[in-house]
Amino acid sequence: MLRIYADVAMDNSVISGTPEFTKHFDAIGDLKIKAEDMEGVGKEAAQISTILAQSPLDSIDQKFESYYAKRGFDQQWYKAYGEKSIRSIADTLGRLKEYTYIYAALSGVTHGSDIWKSVFFGKGKAELSPLREPQNTPRVVQLAATLAFRVYRMILCEFRRGEEENFDRKYIQEWRQRFWKKYEIDLNPKQLTI
């Protein structure tokens, strides 16, 4: 569902005359896209619009459209449903620990929201460490894989009941050793002094 909304904005941004095109490309002049690519974009945009016009997506789309028309950008998807944050959704679902230890950690790294961990001030100088902290990539990959395993297992429980045992066995026999292998990344220089 979220992919559909992202695709609509992406497609419309290259279609001349749309508000998205005006916002992103109108000021830079002609946008050079091959005719066959533009035809594909137009078809995909029409297909997405057809999908969004069907129930129950039409009422959801309307929530986004009315917000977009007033502000020029979409509101957060969870706010359209009356939730104040992703954390509150996790709390409602009884998944606060997963949110805290997996989602929040991955979100912070992905969006670079822990900027102040990377800036240090001293007497007459400031030191900057890499914002995305590449040395933590092994940990982030392990967290992402943990989340992927968890979500996949939840899907199995919901739609392929009885397959969980096979999944667990395959994890133990084929994936666990690679999953828990320790990797380290060493950055040089460690920080930049200004």
Side-chain angles (χ1 to χ4, degrees):
M1 175 61 114
L2 295 175
R3 183 184 176 280
I4 289 174
Y5 287 104
D7 286 348
V8 170
M10 183 63 94
D11 288 344
N12 287 345
S13 68
V14 296
I15 298 174
S16 184
T18 64
E20 292 85 2
F21 180 88
T22 303
K23 181 179 178 181
H24 297 290
F25 294 110
D26 204 24
I28 62 170
D30 289 339
L31 182 63
K32 306 290 187 227
I33 298 178
K34 291 188 265 178
E36 61 267 18
D37 291 337
M38 276 306 295
E39 184 180 333
V41 167
K43 285 180 181 177
E44 185 173 353
Q47 183 181 14
I48 291 169
S49 294
T50 300
I51 292 169
L52 291 175
Q54 299 170 15
S55 181
L57 301 180
D58 56 345
S59 61
I60 297 168
D61 187 45
Q62 186 52 46
K63 289 179 181 181
F64 284 95
E65 287 300 322
S66 62
Y67 190 93
Y68 188 90
K70 292 176 192 166
R71 295 166 182 84
F73 59 90
D74 283 328
Q75 68 177 329
Q76 297 288 347
W77 64 268
Y78 49 83
K79 288 184 179 176
Y81 291 97
E83 289 287 346
K84 61 182 180 183
S85 67
I86 295 173
R87 185 186 188 284
S88 70
I89 294 170
D91 194 22
T92 300
L93 295 173
R95 304 268 187 217
L96 200 51
K97 286 184 180 179
E98 288 177 44
Y99 170 86
T100 302
Y101 296 109
I102 299 174
Y103 177 83
L106 292 173
S107 180
V109 170
T110 301
H111 300 293
S113 59
D114 288 338
I115 186 173
W116 297 112
K117 282 187 358 187
S118 302
V119 180
F120 308 94
F121 298 99
K123 277 191 172 179
K125 66 178 180 180
E127 291 183 353
L128 304 173
S129 293
L131 187 59
R132 301 283 183 178
E133 302 184 66
Q135 68 273 19
N136 291 331
T137 299
R139 180 176 169 263
V140 171
V141 168
Q142 198 169 48
L143 282 172
T146 299
L147 182 59
F149 287 145
R150 175 77 175 117
V151 169
Y152 191 75
R153 198 164 193 297
M154 288 168 65
I155 291 169
L156 285 177
C157 290
E158 184 69 28
F159 299 105
R160 298 289 305 255
R161 205 166 281 289
E163 289 291 321
E164 306 95 273
E165 188 178 321
N166 291 335
F167 178 77
D168 294 345
R169 185 173 37 257
K170 191 159 185 80
Y171 170 76
I172 290 167
Q173 291 173 352
E174 297 182 29
W175 304 329
R176 183 170 55 185
Q177 186 176 357
R178 282 184 284 168
F179 179 69
W180 287 107
K181 184 176 179 182
K182 297 290 181 198
Y183 296 95
E184 289 190 26
I185 295 175
D186 187 31
L187 288 183
N188 291 307
K190 300 279 187 220
Q191 60 257 16
L192 172 66
T193 302
I194 298 174

